[in-house]
Amino acid sequence: MVLDGPPQTGMTPDRSPDRVDPRDSTPYDIIIIGAGPAGYTAGIYAARAGYDTLLLSGILPGGQLVNTTEVENYPGFETGIMGPDLMIDMRKQAVRMGVTIIDDTAASVDFDGRPLRVETTDHSYAARAVIVATGADPRKLGLEAEQTLGGRGVSYCATCDGPFFRNQTIIVVGGGDTAMEEATFLTKFAGKVLVVHRRDRLRASQAMQQRAFENEKISFLWNREVAEIRGAERVESVVLRDTTSGDTEELEAGAVFVAIGHTPNTMLFRSRLDLDPDGYVIVRGTQTSVPGVFAAGDVHDRRYRQAVTAAGFGCQAAIDADRYLSEGGPEA
């Protein structure tokens, strides 16, 4: 089956884009779990190839991009696009290609037998192949401003948002490799980068530490934690607390980049798929430890974590699923 060229129609029932969700146990060719760039792209490729495809979006479709304001680095949008708008457009395209989308959350999976099964609270779905695209969530500080100022100065991705804060003072929170990478990258735009770390030494590798220490734009605030982020319409300042004395101080800043790691959304797959010590799905290409189960996007990608790379992984997973099914994968 070819994934490029005119859409194939031999395997997909004729369905209206406004069809009612088929809440029954009809087997599908492919089930996709997750509705970010990886999940939607996988759905577009799978359905376009003629596979009867179900996408379980979860309760809040769109992944991390629904909490993002302007996206400037996704190809094809000269003046940028709002994150939620990009996800709405991807969803519409997936539906137009023939993907059945159900806004429900996978509660359990059974990958031991055939067909593969995905259960929600009230329904059971079967498929010949499954694509896991549940993403990862950035770890947060637990501050109210992360909700109110998210996308307006509070960020978890320097590559995504750094260019919005040219010549400003930027706070980076964290002490690991990710924080040093983010801080170093942000010096391309910031007037000054202040790294806030709750200890008196970094956890980052020596190479990453050295690179940050040698950058004249980066300063370190040791034994500090962010107690509060202040601002009305955007970030204006942060309140830091000394972790040894408890004293506080307020610093003006245009942005706060939180770089304390990500948590992959893989609780559902523990004991079902091979995961690394941090919980990311272990893949070879996009193939997981279970034949016929593939993974795409931030659920296995700890390095790039971009919308465009997640979409690319979604494409790869759909192609891999097609090859698996075309080369003798089990019939549902």
Side-chain angles (χ1 to χ4, degrees):
M1 187 166 288
V2 180
L3 291 179
D4 288 320
Q8 307 295 310
T9 58
M11 297 178 60
T12 304
D14 183 15
R15 290 172 172 165
S16 164
D18 296 322
R19 61 190 176 275
V20 177
D21 291 342
R23 300 284 183 161
D24 57 34
S25 59
T26 303
Y28 289 84
D29 294 315
I30 298 173
I31 293 177
I32 299 165
I33 308 173
Y40 284 137
T41 303
I44 290 166
Y45 271 77
R48 191 171 186 269
Y51 290 110
D52 193 8
T53 304
L54 169 67
L55 188 151
L56 293 173
S57 72
I59 299 302
L60 183 63
Q64 295 182 45
L65 283 184
V66 298
N67 296 316
T68 304
T69 52
E70 191 171 2
V71 179
E72 287 191 324
N73 55 0
Y74 198 90
F77 301 93
E78 180 184 0
T79 59
I81 184 171
M82 299 295 285
D85 291 340
L86 178 59
M87 291 297 91
I88 289 170
D89 287 349
M90 282 191 177
R91 181 185 176 106
K92 289 179 179 178
Q93 186 177 2
V95 169
R96 185 172 67 83
M97 286 296 154
V99 178
T100 298
I101 298 178
I102 296 178
D103 294 325
D104 203 352
T105 301
S108 64
V109 296
D110 182 357
F111 295 156
D112 292 334
R114 291 296 185 273
L116 303 165
R117 293 198 170 273
V118 180
E119 311 279 339
T120 65
T121 301
D122 300 314
H123 300 280
S124 175
Y125 302 99
R128 300 162 62 203
V130 170
I131 297 174
V132 175
T134 48
D137 293 328
R139 293 175 187 158
K140 298 185 176 181
L141 301 173
L143 301 177
E144 182 180 351
E146 290 179 283
Q147 298 295 325
T148 59
L149 296 175
R152 292 184 290 171
V154 176
S155 176
Y156 306 89
C157 177
T159 308
C160 309
D161 299 330
F164 294 117
F165 303 101
R166 294 181 185 275
N167 302 316
Q168 298 187 41
T169 296
I170 294 177
I171 301 287
V172 173
V173 184
D177 279 355
T178 299
M180 296 308 101
E181 267 189 77
E182 301 271 278
T184 302
F185 178 82
L186 287 167
T187 60
K188 297 179 181 181
F189 314 102
K192 179 168 57 176
V193 175
L194 303 177
V195 175
V196 174
H197 187 43
R198 60 183 295 112
R199 300 179 179 84
D200 60 1
R201 66 189 65 183
L202 299 173
R203 295 178 289 104
S205 64
Q206 286 300 316
M208 293 301 301
Q209 289 191 41
Q210 193 63 29
R211 188 180 305 172
F213 288 145
E214 291 176 353
N215 193 310
E216 62 183 14
K217 280 192 173 183
I218 299 177
S219 300
F220 291 83
L221 299 174
W222 305 107
N223 297 314
R224 303 285 199 283
E225 62 184 3
V226 177
E228 187 179 353
I229 301 171
R230 294 178 175 174
E233 299 298 322
R234 59 178 179 80
V235 171
E236 297 173 3
S237 66
V238 297
V239 176
L240 302 181
R241 180 187 297 115
D242 190 303
T243 57
T244 56
S245 68
D247 294 339
T248 61
E249 59 180 325
E250 184 173 1
L251 300 177
E252 291 185 0
V256 177
F257 284 78
V258 181
I260 55 177
H262 287 71
T263 302
N265 296 316
T266 54
M267 181 72 71
L268 183 65
F269 309 107
R270 291 184 181 179
S271 78
R272 304 295 185 182
L273 299 174
D274 287 351
L275 309 177
D276 73 12
D278 294 321
Y280 288 88
V281 177
I282 296 173
V283 293
R284 184 173 181 178
T286 64
Q287 173 66 62
T288 71
S289 56
V290 175
V293 180
F294 304 87
D298 289 9
V299 74
H300 70 81
D301 170 32
R302 63 168 69 237
R303 180 173 183 180
Y304 299 107
R305 295 196 299 267
Q306 301 296 304
V308 69
T309 53
F313 282 124
C315 166
Q316 293 175 48
I319 291 174
D320 289 344
D322 168 53
R323 289 175 177 164
Y324 168 78
L325 295 174
S326 298
E327 295 171 2
E331 295 292 329

